[in-house]
Amino acid sequence: QVHLLESGGDSVQTGGSLELSCSASGDTGSGLRMGWFRQALGKEREGIAAITTGGRLTDYSDSVKGRFTISRDNAKNSLFLQMNDLKPEDTSMYYCAATSWGGPVSQMLRPENYNYWGQGTQVTVSS
């Protein structure tokens, strides 16, 4: 079992920046791919950034590419999401997720490929 805890959500103005963190505990020794997802009220959960076990490969949704950066520190069992140039449409609950799934990198943003989920952290961007 893997436990994930997000932090860093806040309210910011358009154009601002935030960094989200996710701390993993439990059975993390086998190596896990990790990702960030978000879900706004009334919308489906959206995969926005994902990273492979060693951190060599990443993938981003078109909605955040060029503005958000995912990274991880395996020594500290931590995942990060640096968010720059935030927009009101980025307002959402953000979730950290982890998986032992090892399929194509091109499918890392699909929520159904993830086994473990955190409780989420709220990001609100005002205009």
Side-chain angles (χ1 to χ4, degrees):
Q1 188 74 1
V2 176
H3 300 282
L4 303 171
L5 181 64
E6 304 94 337
S7 62
D10 205 346
S11 296
V12 297
Q13 292 189 328
T14 298
S17 298
L18 281 175
E19 184 178 52
L20 304 183
S21 299
C22 173
S23 177
S25 60
D27 187 16
T28 60
S30 59
L32 299 167
R33 288 177 172 178
M34 300 189 76
W36 287 99
F37 296 76
R38 65 187 183 186
Q39 188 168 18
L41 285 175
K43 295 189 177 181
E44 292 187 354
R45 190 164 294 191
E46 172 192 18
I48 58 171
I51 190 166
T52 52
T53 302
R56 189 171 66 88
L57 298 177
T58 58
D59 197 15
Y60 296 91
S61 66
D62 289 342
S63 60
V64 307
K65 196 173 295 182
R67 300 187 297 124
F68 291 9
T69 302
I70 188 172
S71 62
R72 65 190 297 167
D73 183 340
N74 286 341
K76 297 181 178 179
N77 289 328
S78 294
L79 179 73
F80 305 98
L81 184 69
Q82 177 65 42
M83 305 188 294
N84 297 328
D85 190 24
L86 283 161
K87 305 175 181 181
E89 52 263 43
D90 294 317
T91 295
S92 191
M93 185 71 79
Y94 283 71
Y95 298 90
C96 168
T99 182
S100 54
W101 172 84
V105 171
S106 61
Q107 297 179 18
M108 284 199 301
L109 295 179
R110 295 184 180 185
E112 62 266 29
N113 292 330
Y114 287 76
N115 313 93
Y116 307 104
W117 293 86
Q119 294 298 308
T121 186
Q122 178 68 36
V123 173
T124 302
V125 185
S126 58
S127 57

Coordinates of all heavy atoms in Angstrom, one line a residue, residues 4-86:
L4 N -0.3 8.8 -0.1 CA 0.2 10.0 -0.8 C -0.5 11.2 -0.1 O -1.7 11.2 0.2 CB -0.2 10.0 -2.3 CG 0.3 8.8 -3.1 CD1 -0.3 8.8 -4.5 CD2 1.8 8.9 -3.2
L5 N 0.3 12.2 0.2 CA -0.2 13.4 0.8 C 0.3 14.7 0.1 O 1.5 14.9 0.0 CB 0.3 13.5 2.3 CG -0.2 14.7 3.1 CD1 -1.7 14.6 3.2 CD2 0.5 14.7 4.5
E6 N -0.7 15.4 -0.5 CA -0.4 16.6 -1.2 C -0.3 17.8 -0.3 O -1.0 17.8 0.7 CB -1.4 16.9 -2.3 CG -1.6 15.8 -3.3 CD -2.8 14.8 -2.9 OE1 -3.1 14.8 -1.7 OE2 -3.3 14.2 -3.8
S7 N 0.4 18.8 -0.7 CA 0.4 20.1 0.0 C 0.8 21.2 -1.0 O 1.3 20.9 -2.1 CB 1.4 20.1 1.2 OG 2.7 19.9 0.7
G8 N 0.6 22.4 -0.6 CA 1.0 23.6 -1.4 C -0.1 24.3 -2.1 O 0.1 25.4 -2.7
G9 N -1.3 23.8 -2.1 CA -2.4 24.5 -2.7 C -2.7 25.8 -2.0 O -2.5 25.9 -0.8
D10 N -3.2 26.8 -2.8 CA -3.4 28.1 -2.2 C -4.3 28.9 -3.2 O -4.6 28.4 -4.3 CB -2.1 28.8 -2.0 CG -2.2 29.9 -0.9 OD1 -3.3 30.3 -0.6 OD2 -1.1 30.3 -0.5
S11 N -4.6 30.1 -2.8 CA -5.3 31.0 -3.7 C -4.3 32.1 -4.2 O -3.6 32.7 -3.4 CB -6.4 31.7 -3.0 OG -7.4 30.8 -2.6
V12 N -4.2 32.2 -5.5 CA -3.3 33.2 -6.1 C -4.0 34.0 -7.2 O -5.1 33.6 -7.7 CB -2.1 32.5 -6.8 CG1 -1.3 31.8 -5.7 CG2 -2.5 31.5 -7.9
Q13 N -3.4 35.0 -7.7 CA -3.9 35.8 -8.8 C -3.4 35.3 -10.1 O -2.4 34.6 -10.2 CB -3.6 37.3 -8.6 CG -4.3 37.9 -7.4 CD -4.1 39.4 -7.3 OE1 -3.1 39.9 -7.7 NE2 -5.2 40.1 -6.8
T14 N -4.1 35.7 -11.1 CA -3.7 35.3 -12.5 C -2.2 35.7 -12.7 O -1.8 36.9 -12.4 CB -4.6 36.0 -13.5 OG1 -5.9 35.5 -13.3 CG2 -4.1 35.7 -14.9
G15 N -1.5 34.8 -13.3 CA -0.1 35.1 -13.6 C 0.9 34.7 -12.5 O 2.1 34.7 -12.6
G16 N 0.3 34.3 -11.3 CA 1.1 33.9 -10.2 C 1.7 32.5 -10.3 O 1.4 31.8 -11.3
S17 N 2.4 32.1 -9.3 CA 3.1 30.7 -9.3 C 2.8 30.0 -8.0 O 2.6 30.7 -7.0 CB 4.6 30.9 -9.5 OG 4.9 31.5 -10.7
L18 N 2.8 28.7 -8.1 CA 2.7 27.9 -6.9 C 3.5 26.6 -7.2 O 3.7 26.2 -8.3 CB 1.2 27.4 -6.7 CG 0.3 28.4 -6.0 CD1 -1.1 27.8 -6.0 CD2 0.7 28.7 -4.6
E19 N 4.0 26.0 -6.1 CA 4.6 24.7 -6.2 C 3.8 23.7 -5.3 O 3.7 23.9 -4.1 CB 6.1 24.7 -5.8 CG 6.7 23.3 -6.0 CD 8.2 23.3 -5.7 OE1 8.6 23.7 -4.6 OE2 8.9 22.8 -6.6
L20 N 3.3 22.7 -5.9 CA 2.7 21.6 -5.1 C 3.7 20.5 -4.8 O 4.6 20.3 -5.6 CB 1.5 21.0 -5.9 CG 0.4 21.9 -6.4 CD1 -0.7 21.2 -7.1 CD2 -0.1 22.8 -5.3
S21 N 3.5 19.9 -3.7 CA 4.3 18.8 -3.2 C 3.5 17.6 -2.9 O 2.3 17.7 -2.5 CB 5.2 19.2 -2.0 OG 6.0 20.3 -2.3
C22 N 4.1 16.4 -3.1 CA 3.4 15.2 -2.7 C 4.4 14.3 -2.0 O 5.4 14.0 -2.6 CB 2.8 14.5 -3.9 SG 2.1 12.9 -3.7
S23 N 4.1 13.9 -0.8 CA 4.9 13.0 -0.1 C 4.3 11.6 -0.1 O 3.2 11.4 0.2 CB 5.0 13.5 1.4 OG 5.8 12.6 2.2
A24 N 5.2 10.6 -0.5 CA 4.8 9.2 -0.6 C 5.3 8.4 0.6 O 6.5 8.6 1.0 CB 5.2 8.6 -1.9
S25 N 4.5 7.5 1.1 CA 5.0 6.6 2.2 C 4.4 5.2 2.0 O 3.5 5.1 1.2 CB 4.6 7.2 3.5 OG 3.2 7.3 3.7
G26 N 5.0 4.3 2.6 CA 4.5 2.9 2.5 C 5.4 2.1 1.5 O 6.6 2.3 1.5
D27 N 4.8 1.3 0.7 CA 5.5 0.4 -0.2 C 6.0 1.1 -1.5 O 5.5 0.9 -2.6 CB 4.6 -0.8 -0.5 CG 5.3 -1.9 -1.3 OD1 6.6 -1.9 -1.3 OD2 4.6 -2.7 -1.9
T28 N 6.9 2.0 -1.3 CA 7.5 2.7 -2.5 C 8.7 2.1 -3.0 O 9.3 2.6 -4.0 CB 7.7 4.2 -2.1 OG1 8.7 4.2 -1.0 CG2 6.5 4.9 -1.6
G29 N 9.2 1.0 -2.5 CA 10.5 0.5 -2.9 C 10.6 -0.1 -4.2 O 11.6 -0.1 -4.8
S30 N 9.5 -0.5 -4.8 CA 9.5 -1.2 -6.1 C 9.6 -0.2 -7.3 O 9.7 -0.7 -8.4 CB 8.2 -2.1 -6.2 OG 7.1 -1.3 -6.1
G31 N 9.5 1.1 -7.0 CA 9.5 2.0 -8.1 C 8.1 2.3 -8.6 O 7.5 1.4 -9.1
L32 N 7.7 3.5 -8.6 CA 6.4 3.9 -9.1 C 6.5 5.1 -10.1 O 7.2 6.0 -9.9 CB 5.6 4.3 -7.9 CG 5.3 3.3 -6.8 CD1 4.7 3.9 -5.6 CD2 4.4 2.2 -7.3
R33 N 5.7 5.0 -11.1 CA 5.4 6.2 -11.9 C 4.5 7.1 -11.1 O 3.6 6.6 -10.4 CB 4.8 5.8 -13.2 CG 5.8 5.2 -14.2 CD 5.1 4.7 -15.5 NE 6.1 4.3 -16.5 CZ 5.8 3.8 -17.6 NH1 4.5 3.8 -18.0 NH2 6.7 3.5 -18.5
M34 N 4.6 8.4 -11.3 CA 3.8 9.3 -10.6 C 3.2 10.4 -11.5 O 3.8 10.7 -12.5 CB 4.5 9.9 -9.4 CG 5.0 8.9 -8.4 SD 5.7 9.6 -6.9 CE 4.2 10.0 -6.0
G35 N 2.1 10.9 -11.0 CA 1.5 12.0 -11.9 C 0.7 12.9 -11.1 O 0.4 12.7 -9.9
W36 N 0.4 14.0 -11.7 CA -0.5 15.0 -11.1 C -1.8 15.1 -12.0 O -1.7 15.1 -13.2 CB 0.1 16.4 -11.1 CG 1.2 16.6 -10.1 CD1 2.5 16.5 -10.3 CD2 1.0 16.8 -8.7 NE1 3.2 16.7 -9.1 CE2 2.2 16.9 -8.1 CE3 -0.2 17.0 -7.9 CZ2 2.4 17.1 -6.7 CZ3 0.0 17.3 -6.5 CH2 1.3 17.3 -6.0
F37 N -2.9 15.1 -11.3 CA -4.2 15.2 -12.0 C -5.0 16.3 -11.3 O -4.7 16.8 -10.2 CB -5.0 13.9 -11.8 CG -4.3 12.7 -12.4 CD1 -3.1 12.1 -11.9 CD2 -4.7 12.2 -13.6 CE1 -2.5 11.1 -12.5 CE2 -4.1 11.2 -14.3 CZ -3.0 10.6 -13.7
R38 N -6.0 16.8 -12.0 CA -6.9 17.8 -11.4 C -8.3 17.6 -11.8 O -8.6 16.9 -12.8 CB -6.4 19.2 -11.8 CG -6.6 19.5 -13.3 CD -6.0 20.9 -13.6 NE -6.1 21.3 -15.0 CZ -5.6 22.4 -15.5 NH1 -4.8 23.2 -14.8 NH2 -5.8 22.7 -16.8
Q39 N -9.2 18.0 -11.0 CA -10.6 17.9 -11.2 C -11.4 19.1 -10.7 O -11.4 19.4 -9.5 CB -11.2 16.6 -10.5 CG -12.6 16.3 -10.9 CD -13.0 14.9 -10.5 OE1 -12.4 14.3 -9.7 NE2 -14.1 14.4 -11.1
A40 N -11.9 19.8 -11.6 CA -12.7 21.0 -11.3 C -14.2 20.5 -11.1 O -14.6 19.4 -11.5 CB -12.7 22.0 -12.4
L41 N -14.9 21.4 -10.4 CA -16.3 21.0 -10.1 C -17.1 20.7 -11.4 O -17.1 21.5 -12.3 CB -17.0 22.2 -9.3 CG -16.6 22.3 -7.8 CD1 -17.2 23.5 -7.2 CD2 -17.0 21.0 -7.1
G42 N -17.8 19.6 -11.4 CA -18.6 19.3 -12.6 C -17.8 18.8 -13.8 O -18.4 18.5 -14.8
K43 N -16.5 18.6 -13.6 CA -15.7 18.1 -14.7 C -15.0 16.8 -14.4 O -14.9 16.4 -13.2 CB -14.7 19.1 -15.1 CG -15.3 20.4 -15.6 CD -14.2 21.4 -16.2 CE -14.8 22.6 -16.8 NZ -13.8 23.5 -17.4
E44 N -14.6 16.1 -15.4 CA -13.9 14.8 -15.3 C -12.5 15.1 -14.8 O -11.9 16.2 -15.0 CB -13.9 14.1 -16.6 CG -15.2 13.6 -17.0 CD -15.1 12.7 -18.2 OE1 -14.0 12.5 -18.8 OE2 -16.2 12.1 -18.6
R45 N -11.9 14.1 -14.1 CA -10.5 14.2 -13.7 C -9.6 14.2 -14.9 O -9.7 13.4 -15.8 CB -10.2 13.0 -12.8 CG -8.8 13.2 -12.1 CD -8.7 12.2 -10.9 NE -9.7 12.6 -9.8 CZ -9.6 12.0 -8.6 NH1 -8.7 11.2 -8.3 NH2 -10.5 12.4 -7.7
E46 N -8.6 15.1 -14.9 CA -7.7 15.3 -16.0 C -6.3 15.1 -15.6 O -5.8 15.7 -14.6 CB -7.9 16.8 -16.5 CG -6.9 17.3 -17.5 CD -6.9 18.8 -17.8 OE1 -7.4 19.5 -16.9 OE2 -6.4 19.2 -18.8
G47 N -5.6 14.3 -16.4 CA -4.2 14.1 -16.2 C -3.4 15.2 -16.8 O -3.6 15.6 -17.9
I48 N -2.6 15.9 -16.0 CA -1.9 17.1 -16.5 C -0.3 16.9 -16.6 O 0.3 17.6 -17.4 CB -2.2 18.3 -15.7 CG1 -1.9 18.1 -14.2 CG2 -3.7 18.7 -15.8 CD1 -2.0 19.4 -13.4
A49 N 0.2 16.0 -15.7 CA 1.7 15.9 -15.8 C 2.0 14.5 -15.2 O 1.4 14.1 -14.2 CB 2.4 16.9 -15.0
A50 N 3.0 13.8 -15.8 CA 3.4 12.5 -15.3 C 4.9 12.3 -15.5 O 5.5 13.0 -16.3 CB 2.6 11.4 -15.9
I51 N 5.5 11.5 -14.7 CA 6.9 11.2 -14.7 C 7.2 9.8 -14.4 O 6.5 9.1 -13.6 CB 7.6 12.2 -13.6 CG1 9.1 12.2 -13.8 CG2 7.2 11.8 -12.2 CD1 9.7 13.3 -13.0
T52 N 8.2 9.3 -15.2 CA 8.6 7.9 -15.0 C 9.3 7.7 -13.7 O 9.7 8.6 -13.0 CB 9.4 7.4 -16.2 OG1 10.5 8.3 -16.4 CG2 8.6 7.3 -17.5
T53 N 9.6 6.4 -13.4 CA 10.2 6.0 -12.1 C 11.5 6.7 -11.8 O 11.6 7.2 -10.7 CB 10.4 4.5 -12.1 OG1 9.1 3.8 -12.3 CG2 10.9 4.0 -10.8
G54 N 12.3 6.8 -12.8 CA 13.6 7.4 -12.5 C 13.6 8.9 -12.8 O 14.7 9.6 -12.6
G55 N 12.5 9.4 -13.3 CA 12.4 10.8 -13.6 C 13.0 11.2 -15.0 O 13.0 12.4 -15.3
R56 N 13.3 10.3 -15.8 CA 13.9 10.6 -17.1 C 12.9 11.1 -18.1 O 13.2 11.9 -19.0 CB 14.7 9.4 -17.6 CG 15.5 9.6 -18.9 CD 16.4 8.4 -19.2 NE 15.6 7.3 -19.6 CZ 15.2 7.0 -20.9 NH1 15.5 7.9 -21.8 NH2 14.4 6.0 -21.2
L57 N 11.7 10.6 -18.0 CA 10.7 10.9 -19.0 C 9.5 11.6 -18.3 O 9.1 11.2 -17.2 CB 10.2 9.7 -19.8 CG 11.3 9.0 -20.6 CD1 10.7 7.7 -21.2 CD2 11.9 9.9 -21.7
T58 N 8.9 12.6 -19.0 CA 7.8 13.3 -18.5 C 6.8 13.4 -19.6 O 7.1 13.3 -20.8 CB 8.1 14.7 -17.9 OG1 8.7 15.4 -19.0 CG2 9.1 14.5 -16.7
D59 N 5.5 13.7 -19.2 CA 4.5 14.0 -20.2 C 3.6 15.1 -19.6 O 3.4 15.1 -18.4 CB 3.7 12.8 -20.6 CG 2.9 12.9 -21.9 OD1 3.2 13.9 -22.6 OD2 2.0 12.1 -22.1
Y60 N 3.0 15.9 -20.5 CA 2.2 17.0 -20.0 C 0.9 17.1 -20.9 O 1.0 16.8 -22.1 CB 2.9 18.3 -20.1 CG 4.1 18.4 -19.1 CD1 5.3 18.1 -19.6 CD2 3.9 18.9 -17.8 CE1 6.4 18.2 -18.7 CE2 5.0 19.0 -17.0 CZ 6.3 18.6 -17.4 OH 7.4 18.7 -16.6
S61 N -0.1 17.5 -20.3 CA -1.3 17.8 -21.2 C -1.1 19.1 -21.9 O -0.3 20.0 -21.4 CB -2.6 18.0 -20.3 OG -2.4 19.1 -19.4
D62 N -1.8 19.3 -23.0 CA -1.6 20.6 -23.7 C -2.0 21.8 -22.9 O -1.5 22.9 -23.1 CB -2.5 20.5 -25.0 CG -1.9 19.5 -26.0 OD1 -0.7 19.2 -25.9 OD2 -2.7 19.1 -26.9
S63 N -2.9 21.6 -22.0 CA -3.4 22.7 -21.2 C -2.4 23.3 -20.2 O -2.5 24.5 -19.8 CB -4.7 22.3 -20.4 OG -4.3 21.2 -19.5
V64 N -1.3 22.5 -19.9 CA -0.3 23.1 -19.0 C 1.1 23.1 -19.5 O 2.0 23.6 -18.9 CB -0.3 22.3 -17.6 CG1 -1.7 22.2 -17.1 CG2 0.2 20.8 -17.8
K65 N 1.3 22.5 -20.7 CA 2.6 22.4 -21.3 C 3.2 23.8 -21.4 O 2.6 24.7 -21.9 CB 2.5 21.7 -22.7 CG 3.8 21.2 -23.2 CD 3.6 20.4 -24.5 CE 2.8 19.1 -24.2 NZ 2.6 18.3 -25.4
G66 N 4.5 23.9 -21.0 CA 5.2 25.2 -21.1 C 5.0 26.0 -19.9 O 5.7 27.0 -19.7
R67 N 4.0 25.7 -19.0 CA 3.8 26.5 -17.8 C 4.0 25.7 -16.5 O 4.5 26.3 -15.5 CB 2.3 27.0 -17.8 CG 1.9 27.9 -18.9 CD 0.5 28.4 -18.7 NE -0.5 27.4 -18.7 CZ -1.4 27.2 -17.7 NH1 -1.3 28.1 -16.6 NH2 -2.3 26.3 -17.7
F68 N 3.8 24.4 -16.6 CA 4.0 23.5 -15.4 C 5.2 22.6 -15.6 O 5.4 22.2 -16.7 CB 2.7 22.7 -15.2 CG 1.5 23.4 -14.7 CD1 1.4 24.8 -14.7 CD2 0.4 22.7 -14.3 CE1 0.3 25.5 -14.3 CE2 -0.8 23.4 -13.9 CZ -0.8 24.8 -13.9
T69 N 5.8 22.3 -14.5 CA 7.0 21.3 -14.6 C 6.8 20.3 -13.4 O 6.7 20.7 -12.3 CB 8.3 22.1 -14.4 OG1 8.4 23.1 -15.4 CG2 9.5 21.1 -14.5
I70 N 6.9 19.1 -13.8 CA 6.8 18.0 -12.8 C 8.2 17.5 -12.5 O 9.1 17.4 -13.4 CB 5.9 16.8 -13.3 CG1 5.7 15.8 -12.2 CG2 6.5 16.2 -14.6 CD1 4.7 14.7 -12.6
S71 N 8.5 17.2 -11.3 CA 9.8 16.6 -10.9 C 9.6 15.7 -9.7 O 8.6 15.7 -9.1 CB 10.8 17.8 -10.6 OG 10.4 18.5 -9.5
R72 N 10.7 15.0 -9.4 CA 10.6 14.1 -8.3 C 11.9 13.9 -7.6 O 13.0 14.1 -8.3 CB 10.1 12.7 -8.7 CG 11.0 11.9 -9.6 CD 10.2 10.7 -10.2 NE 9.9 9.7 -9.1 CZ 9.1 8.7 -9.3 NH1 8.5 8.5 -10.5 NH2 8.8 7.9 -8.3
D73 N 11.9 13.6 -6.3 CA 13.1 13.4 -5.5 C 12.9 12.0 -4.9 O 12.3 11.9 -3.9 CB 13.3 14.5 -4.5 CG 14.6 14.3 -3.7 OD1 15.2 13.2 -3.7 OD2 15.1 15.3 -3.1
N74 N 13.5 11.0 -5.5 CA 13.2 9.6 -5.0 C 13.9 9.4 -3.7 O 13.4 8.6 -2.9 CB 13.7 8.6 -6.1 CG 12.8 8.5 -7.3 OD1 11.7 8.9 -7.2 ND2 13.4 8.0 -8.4
A75 N 14.9 10.1 -3.4 CA 15.6 9.9 -2.1 C 14.7 10.4 -1.0 O 14.7 9.9 0.2 CB 16.9 10.7 -2.0
K76 N 13.8 11.3 -1.3 CA 12.8 11.8 -0.3 C 11.4 11.4 -0.5 O 10.5 11.9 0.1 CB 12.9 13.4 -0.3 CG 14.3 13.9 0.1 CD 14.3 15.4 0.2 CE 15.6 16.0 0.6 NZ 15.6 17.5 0.6
N77 N 11.2 10.4 -1.5 CA 9.9 10.0 -1.8 C 8.9 11.1 -2.0 O 7.8 11.1 -1.5 CB 9.4 9.0 -0.7 CG 10.1 7.7 -0.6 OD1 10.5 7.2 -1.7 ND2 10.2 7.2 0.5
S78 N 9.4 12.1 -2.8 CA 8.6 13.3 -3.0 C 8.4 13.6 -4.5 O 9.2 13.3 -5.3 CB 9.2 14.5 -2.4 OG 9.2 14.3 -1.0
L79 N 7.2 14.1 -4.8 CA 6.9 14.6 -6.2 C 6.5 16.0 -6.1 O 5.9 16.5 -5.1 CB 5.7 13.8 -6.7 CG 5.1 14.1 -8.0 CD1 6.1 13.6 -9.1 CD2 3.7 13.5 -8.2
F80 N 6.8 16.8 -7.2 CA 6.6 18.2 -7.2 C 5.9 18.6 -8.5 O 6.0 18.0 -9.5 CB 7.9 19.0 -7.0 CG 8.7 18.6 -5.8 CD1 9.7 17.7 -5.9 CD2 8.4 19.1 -4.6 CE1 10.4 17.3 -4.8 CE2 9.1 18.7 -3.4 CZ 10.1 17.8 -3.6
L81 N 5.2 19.7 -8.4 CA 4.6 20.4 -9.6 C 4.8 21.9 -9.4 O 4.1 22.5 -8.6 CB 3.1 20.0 -9.7 CG 2.5 20.6 -11.0 CD1 3.1 19.8 -12.2 CD2 1.0 20.4 -11.0
Q82 N 5.7 22.4 -10.2 CA 5.9 23.8 -10.3 C 4.9 24.4 -11.3 O 4.9 24.0 -12.5 CB 7.3 24.2 -10.7 CG 7.6 25.7 -10.8 CD 7.5 26.4 -9.5 OE1 7.9 25.9 -8.5 NE2 6.8 27.6 -9.6
M83 N 4.1 25.3 -10.9 CA 3.1 25.9 -11.7 C 3.3 27.4 -11.9 O 3.3 28.1 -10.9 CB 1.7 25.7 -11.1 CG 1.4 24.2 -10.8 SD -0.3 23.9 -10.3 CE -0.3 24.8 -8.7
N84 N 3.5 27.8 -13.1 CA 3.8 29.2 -13.4 C 2.7 29.7 -14.3 O 2.0 29.0 -15.0 CB 5.2 29.4 -14.1 CG 6.3 28.9 -13.2 OD1 6.3 29.1 -12.0 ND2 7.4 28.4 -13.8
D85 N 2.6 31.1 -14.4 CA 1.6 31.7 -15.2 C 0.3 31.1 -15.1 O -0.4 30.8 -16.0 CB 2.1 31.6 -16.7 CG 1.3 32.5 -17.6 OD1 0.7 33.5 -17.2 OD2 1.2 32.2 -18.8
L86 N -0.2 31.1 -13.8 CA -1.5 30.5 -13.5 C -2.6 31.3 -14.1 O -2.6 32.5 -14.1 CB -1.6 30.3 -12.0 CG -0.8 29.1 -11.5 CD1 -0.6 29.2 -10.0 CD2 -1.5 27.8 -11.8

